[in-house]
Amino acid sequence: MSHHITEGKDLFYAYPDGHQAVNGISFRIHHGESVGIIGANGAGKSTLLMLLTGILMPANGEVIIGEVRLNKDNMAMIRQRLGMVFQNPDDQLFMTTVHDDVAFGPRNLKIDEPQVEQRVVSALEQVGILHLKDRAPFHLSAGEKRAAAIASVLSLMPDILILDEPTSSLDPKSRRRLMKILGGFEHTKIITSHDLDMVLDICQRVIVMKDGQAIADGPAKGVLTNKVLMEEAGLEMPLSLQGCPVCGGEKT
Amino acid sequence: MSNIVNAMYNIRQFDELARRDSLIHRMHPLAKLLATLVYTVLLVSYDKYATIALLPFVFFPVYVAAAAKIPLEPLLKRLLYIEPMIVGIGLLNPLFDHGTVVVLGYAISSGWLIFLSIFLKGTLAVTSALLLIATTGMDGVALSLRKLMVPKIFVLQMMLTYRYISVLLEEAARTVQAYDLRAFSSQRLKREVWGPLLGQILIRTMDRAQRIYDAMCLRGFSGEYCIGKAARPGWKDIIYVMTWGVLSAAFRGINLPLWLGNLLTGAGK
Amino acid sequence: MHMADALISPAVGATMWAATAGAAAYSIKKVQSKLDDKKIPLMGVMGAFIFAAQMINFSIPGTGSSGHLGGGLILAILLGPYAGFLAMASILIIQALFFADGGLLALGCNIFNLGFFTCFVAYPLVYKNMIGKEFFAKRIIIASMVTAIIGLQLGAFGVVLETLFSGKTELPFSSFVLLMQPIHLAIGIVEGLVTAAAVSFVWKARPEIMEKAALNQALGALPIKKVMIGLAAIAVFTGAVLSWFASSHPDGLEWSMFKTSGKEELEASGNIHQKLAAIQGETAFLPDYGFKAAGKIEPTEEQTEKWPAVNGGTSLSGLVGGMMTLLLAAFMGFIINVKNKVKKRSE
């Protein structure tokens, strides 16, 4: 299924104030892969996601989604295949009810209303919040908001899910529930996060970013257990891989 | 701070009321809007001295509140906030109106009738407007505006404002609280912080607008706002508007209290 | 100050609604034609920002009191007059609905008073001319002050005129003007200072925002004359049509009855009204005259219809009838409540 390949080729991007946020990064993500993008604050993760979705255009290099080079003309078409979940659900849930928010994308595609309805119900069922259909976003808990934000892109039936810090500001139970939902998806997943335990749990592959470059790209367990590498990126090993603080024993 | 908290509480309370279910809630939003508009126009069409004659206009809000099971407390609370301004303007009238009127053998300034009239009209108009939102909700209002051919762009923009009011009220509350905790003085902002405090929120707001725009574009937004088809008004809705339109017009025309009073006291024959 | 339903006549309310709808339709056309769909979320969120900012107390130096932001000027500066006007309209609609600020019929007046004068008069004629091509901190402060004051003075005068033409109060024009304008001078100064503080801060921290805003407005230069003429035409037309149906003083007949010296007046104005009613009886469905026309046919009933008449007996039956009406309304509410409860139990 080569048509679901997501590729970044030698990407560069600098903000108007001169800050070089992405500084020559290349990667190739295959269909069905789950890739975690990790790095300290300011490493360029969010900018990279914006480049992948065409919110920002690279100064240099190219983004290829399913063999097609992303440009202004094919952007609308390519974006249908990408589902981007923002870090702050309040930025994504801009309608006044959960239902209308989930229906926003399909309606923009000019799909018939009965089919829109089907998609809404199915998207809400996938994240387990069908009962919140008619609620206002400000009546939702953080976990429910996150689920609604995910449903709002699932209704577009994307091939590739892009999630920016999906577990931030969630309580442990909501986080666990969200990880279960994410683990159940067969989509290609690209996830940025500081929650390295979640990355370890969900992603097979990890790209480590530092100063806008990839300093490592490999299987999750190998990368995340590499203490030297993690220190260099300004990160720490996932808690679940660190030794037990009480008995001092090493986890295997 | 208390202002912000009150506003937040008020909006949420009415939003929640509007999501309840009742005979009135199930009515088409446009029907409720039209009934309220006709009612208000007829109510304010009374002359400035009308007092007892407009009492039958109490029926409409009482009916809506009872049938929609809307509690009185939020309505009264809002009235308490609004009334001082209406009362203030009303109270000036006895000073300027030099006519007198005889009520039960006592002569009083007819300005008091104006005051009473303004008070009654204000109370009834405010109550019926609040009942409209408490039984219809902002989504319903948006839907009726669409039915009235208001351009989609305006409706979308208004709904975005409504959606983000709660987000920005929270943000303002947090910011002012952070100021209070370190200012140790009052809850009012000193001159030096006006710019930084308001400007910071403003810049954050504009950045947020950019992110929202991005989120919209990623889901296919291209400047046109697509809403699903709304239900058409049914015969029940038409009957509702007709009933209250005719009743209001009848009350406006026949002075029911006087008729009742004459009946009971045998006067006026 | 918000104009309130209690102070307004249907004719004035409808006229101002028409003027507001005209200005809004024109603004929507302008915003749409610029094809800048990025502006829609910006307008929406900026509206919410103003809403929240209005709730913040600003301590006014040297007075011990506090003031609030209105927001019209900030919206005009950052969004341009058209988008600014529409954002202001949204805020006022939401306030009228959720906070009952003003009311539904007075909403047209309020959008016009608080949105139109600032965005379409004070901003293009005063602010833009004073600011010129480049920003300076001092210029921003002075221009904001002057613009805010002028915008609010016009708005306050609008309230005075609307109240006067509605004829629902006995406030003399001069006293009302003397009451309203000075209050709004103070409000205008606060508005100007707060606006200047916020705008200057944004300009220093993120100059590109201000530059972009200025650029946007250059694209949509305001044909102020065209707008004014169009609006005046709408207002005159609506006003004329409506006063045909119901004059803005529909109460001449009735209130003259309350004045002790009103006997002769009653007959005189009664005559005029009968003539008017005869003309309008055929065309008008607006109740003010429609029902009076009925009274004309049976003049004896018209006497009893007006309350309170000078006659003490009639005012007594009026009071008794009023009480009865309220009791009936309360009874209706009670019955519906009981029915609701019974229904709930049986479910």
Side-chain angles (χ1 to χ4, degrees):
Chain A
M1 290 269 261
S2 60
H3 61 281
H4 288 168
I5 275 176
T6 311
E7 195 172 355
K9 266 190 191 165
D10 211 16
L11 294 171
F12 284 88
Y13 185 84
Y15 282 98
D17 61 4
H19 170 59
Q20 188 74 38
V22 171
N23 204 0
I25 195 168
S26 297
F27 53 86
R28 190 177 160 91
I29 296 168
H30 294 274
H31 174 65
E33 250 188 314
S34 290
V35 180
I37 298 178
I38 61 173
N41 290 331
K45 302 178 304 268
S46 294
T47 312
L48 181 64
L49 294 191
M50 291 211 244
L51 290 172
L52 283 181
T53 48
I55 293 172
L56 298 176
M57 280 310 208
N60 224 329
E62 52 191 20
V63 171
I64 297 165
I65 310 279
E67 315 271 277
V68 184
R69 184 172 182 257
L70 180 72
N71 60 32
K72 283 240 149 53
D73 300 320
N74 61 22
M75 187 120 65
M77 210 187 65
I78 285 184
R79 279 177 170 175
Q80 287 179 33
R81 307 171 51 182
L82 300 170
M84 162 98 178
V85 180
F86 283 60
Q87 181 175 356
N88 183 351
D90 271 327
D91 294 340
Q92 183 147 16
L93 303 172
F94 41 77
M95 303 294 279
T96 46
T97 63
V98 171
H99 172 277
D100 282 355
D101 230 301
V102 180
F104 183 85
R107 280 174 179 166
N108 279 329
L109 293 180
K110 306 275 190 286
I111 296 172
D112 288 337
E113 195 62 17
Q115 264 182 298
V116 170
E117 208 54 37
Q118 263 178 17
R119 284 191 178 203
V120 170
V121 171
S122 131
L124 289 172
E125 270 172 349
Q126 284 182 63
V127 294
I129 54 161
L130 187 58
H131 57 290
L132 302 174
K133 196 164 79 104
D134 297 315
R135 288 287 200 88
F138 56 76
H139 282 143
L140 304 180
S141 70
E144 290 166 341
K145 272 188 195 171
R146 189 77 57 166
I150 293 173
S152 76
V153 303
L154 285 181
S155 62
L156 282 162
M157 304 187 167
D159 303 319
I160 301 155
L161 269 180
I162 301 175
L163 301 110
D164 193 2
E165 296 282 358
T167 51
S168 66
S169 74
L170 294 189
D171 59 46
K173 242 187 186 160
S174 311
R175 173 177 169 271
R176 186 55 60 192
R177 196 175 302 127
L178 179 91
M179 284 165 61
K180 216 174 147 196
I181 293 169
L182 289 180
F185 290 151
E186 284 168 9
H187 305 76
T188 306
K189 289 187 282 279
I190 303 172
I191 304 173
T192 70
S193 188
H194 293 305
D195 180 355
L196 300 182
D197 289 283
M198 183 268 290
V199 171
L200 182 67
D201 208 72
I202 292 183
C203 304
Q204 304 108 21
R205 177 177 156 196
V206 167
I207 298 174
V208 185
M209 283 186 78
K210 193 192 173 191
D211 300 328
Q213 288 171 319
I215 57 168
D217 182 349
K221 207 150 189 186
V223 172
L224 293 170
T225 47
N226 185 340
K227 220 170 171 180
V228 182
L229 176 68
M230 296 300 274
E231 294 265 315
E232 191 199 333
L235 300 166
E236 287 174 354
M237 268 166 49
L239 288 173
S240 57
L241 293 178
Q242 289 177 15
C244 171
V246 180
C247 62
E250 287 283 319
K251 188 160 177 175
T252 45
Chain B
M1 265 304 277
S2 62
N3 268 342
I4 306 177
V5 174
N6 272 337
M8 208 143 53
Y9 178 73
N10 187 68
I11 288 192
R12 287 185 183 190
Q13 191 171 31
F14 277 92
D15 193 279
E16 256 165 69
L17 286 175
R19 284 170 209 275
R20 288 190 183 178
D21 183 46
S22 79
L23 183 76
I24 305 288
H25 284 82
R26 284 191 292 272
M27 219 55 93
H28 195 278
L30 187 58
K32 285 178 275 191
L33 179 66
L34 288 180
T36 310
L37 271 180
V38 170
Y39 168 85
T40 313
V41 168
L42 288 170
L43 172 69
V44 304
S45 77
Y46 274 99
D47 68 272
K48 60 181 151 190
Y49 291 105
T51 46
I52 289 184
L54 54 80
L55 284 180
F57 275 70
V58 169
F59 280 104
F60 178 64
V62 169
Y63 169 76
V64 175
K69 292 172 253 180
I70 302 292
L72 288 180
E73 179 250 323
L75 298 177
L76 293 177
K77 229 175 161 181
R78 240 7 262 175
L79 272 172
L80 276 180
Y81 275 98
I82 299 299
E83 218 68 90
M85 186 280 228
I86 302 175
V87 168
I89 294 285
L91 274 179
L92 291 173
N93 280 285
L95 294 177
F96 290 109
D97 188 345
H98 300 302
T100 51
V101 61
V102 183
V103 176
L104 296 179
Y106 295 97
I108 56 168
S109 160
S110 48
W112 288 107
L113 286 182
I114 301 185
F115 164 68
L116 205 61
S117 182
I118 289 177
F119 177 76
L120 282 172
K121 282 179 197 159
T123 307
L124 291 173
V126 163
T127 311
S128 56
L130 287 175
L131 283 170
L132 174 69
I133 201 69
T135 58
T136 311
M138 206 53 198
D139 294 295
V141 171
L143 198 147
S144 1
L145 289 181
R146 289 289 302 126
K147 289 260 167 205
L148 293 170
M149 317 287 273
V150 173
K152 285 178 188 170
I153 281 202
F154 181 75
V155 178
L156 173 60
Q157 185 253 131
M158 186 183 75
M159 292 309 279
L160 282 169
T161 297
Y162 177 65
R163 161 69 182 93
Y164 283 99
I165 280 175
S166 60
V167 175
L168 275 153
L169 280 173
E170 269 171 30
E171 192 162 333
R174 278 196 304 270
T175 312
V176 173
Q177 196 170 38
Y179 168 80
D180 281 352
L181 285 173
R182 285 175 294 165
F184 304 112
S185 56
S186 63
Q187 300 203 328
R188 298 178 187 144
L189 303 184
K190 289 204 183 101
R191 175 89 203 272
E192 316 83 79
V193 298
W194 288 4
L197 191 134
L198 208 57
Q200 301 272 20
I201 306 178
L202 186 59
I203 288 174
R204 283 204 295 270
T205 304
M206 298 186 105
D207 290 342
R208 181 190 292 277
Q210 177 67 45
R211 290 195 301 273
I212 294 167
Y213 176 69
D214 292 340
M216 291 169 88
C217 286
L218 286 180
R219 287 193 272 151
F221 178 70
S222 55
E224 208 199 334
Y225 173 37
C226 307
I227 339 176
K229 277 208 186 87
R232 283 163 166 260
W235 56 270
K236 259 188 183 170
D237 304 306
I238 296 168
I239 290 177
Y240 179 75
V241 178
M242 294 285 279
T243 309
W244 280 109
V246 168
L247 271 179
S248 300
F251 291 149
R252 178 69 183 83
I254 58 172
N255 199 343
L256 180 74
L258 188 66
W259 184 81
L260 271 176
N262 284 343
L263 202 71
L264 285 170
T265 60
K269 292 277 154 72
Chain C
M1 181 192 116
H2 282 66
M3 189 68 196
D5 272 357
L7 303 176
I8 210 176
S9 75
V12 170
T15 306
M16 297 312 289
W17 256 116
T20 295
Y26 186 77
S27 303
I28 290 171
K29 219 183 102 194
K30 276 282 167 189
V31 170
Q32 254 170 336
S33 71
K34 271 198 261 164
L35 280 178
D36 185 7
D37 44 338
K38 206 178 222 175
K39 224 169 191 178
I40 296 165
L42 184 60
M43 284 160 72
V45 188
M46 278 295 288
F49 164 78
I50 295 296
F51 197 103
Q54 284 177 345
M55 308 289 166
I56 298 176
N57 285 324
F58 295 96
S59 155
I60 301 167
T63 60
S65 59
S66 63
H68 297 270
L69 182 74
L73 184 56
I74 288 196
L75 288 174
I77 293 173
L78 292 176
L79 297 174
Y82 305 107
F85 177 74
L86 293 174
M88 198 68 206
S90 298
I91 298 171
L92 290 166
I93 290 174
I94 293 170
Q95 281 177 342
L97 288 167
F98 282 85
F99 295 87
D101 273 345
L104 295 181
L105 203 61
L107 187 54
C109 295
N110 287 324
I111 296 175
F112 202 87
N113 297 343
L114 294 167
F116 183 84
F117 289 124
T118 299
C119 292
F120 290 134
V121 182
Y123 172 76
L125 297 184
V126 184
Y127 184 86
K128 291 209 79 176
N129 285 329
M130 285 183 72
I131 271 293
K133 288 232 158 66
E134 272 171 86
F135 292 108
F136 294 107
K138 228 182 204 160
R139 244 194 228 172
I140 293 180
I141 294 178
I142 296 171
S144 303
M145 279 270 271
V146 177
T147 313
I149 289 171
I150 292 178
L152 277 156
Q153 287 295 309
L154 288 171
F157 195 61
V159 172
V160 171
L161 286 184
E162 285 147 13
T163 309
L164 200 75
F165 283 129
S166 292
K168 300 289 170 190
T169 69
E170 272 292 287
L171 302 183
F173 173 73
S174 53
S175 326
F176 204 17
V177 166
L178 281 176
L179 177 74
M180 288 292 283
Q181 305 303 132
I183 294 176
H184 284 82
L185 182 68
I187 297 177
I189 292 172
V190 176
E191 173 87 10
L193 286 175
V194 177
T195 302
V199 169
S200 312
F201 182 86
V202 173
W203 174 60
K204 274 180 208 141
R206 295 272 290 274
E208 81 274 7
I209 289 178
M210 297 298 298
E211 279 154 25
K212 223 186 265 170
L215 198 72
N216 263 333
Q217 285 148 36
L219 291 173
L222 189 72
I224 186 85
K225 245 187 212 159
K226 232 168 82 189
V227 176
M228 286 302 230
I229 293 170
L231 274 172
I234 294 175
V236 168
F237 177 76
T238 331
V241 169
L242 283 166
S243 46
W244 172 253
F245 287 113
S247 99
S248 49
H249 286 279
D251 35 60
L253 176 64
E254 282 148 310
W255 66 262
S256 62
M257 293 187 69
F258 307 117
K259 308 219 169 184
T260 41
S261 62
K263 279 259 174 187
E264 310 82 4
E265 244 179 280
L266 172 66
E267 275 166 26
S269 63
N271 256 333
I272 298 164
H273 271 276
Q274 283 191 0
K275 272 182 203 141
L276 266 178
I279 303 165
Q280 282 169 338
E282 289 152 35
T283 47
F285 88 99
L286 233 119
D288 222 26
Y289 289 126
F291 295 109
K292 261 180 221 156
K296 189 198 65 155
I297 301 161
E298 290 167 43
T300 43
E301 247 181 43
E302 183 177 307
Q303 294 289 323
T304 59
E305 241 179 60
K306 311 301 168 203
W307 188 88
V310 196
N311 177 327
T314 320
S315 66
L316 174 70
S317 59
L319 287 176
V320 171
M323 290 297 282
M324 276 306 292
T325 311
L326 289 180
L327 280 175
L328 274 176
F331 184 65
M332 179 185 73
F334 176 72
I335 293 287
I336 298 175
N337 265 336
V338 169
K339 256 178 96 181
N340 278 340
K341 273 185 192 138
V342 170
K343 220 166 141 194
K344 217 177 189 179
R345 224 168 278 159
S346 67
E347 264 164 15

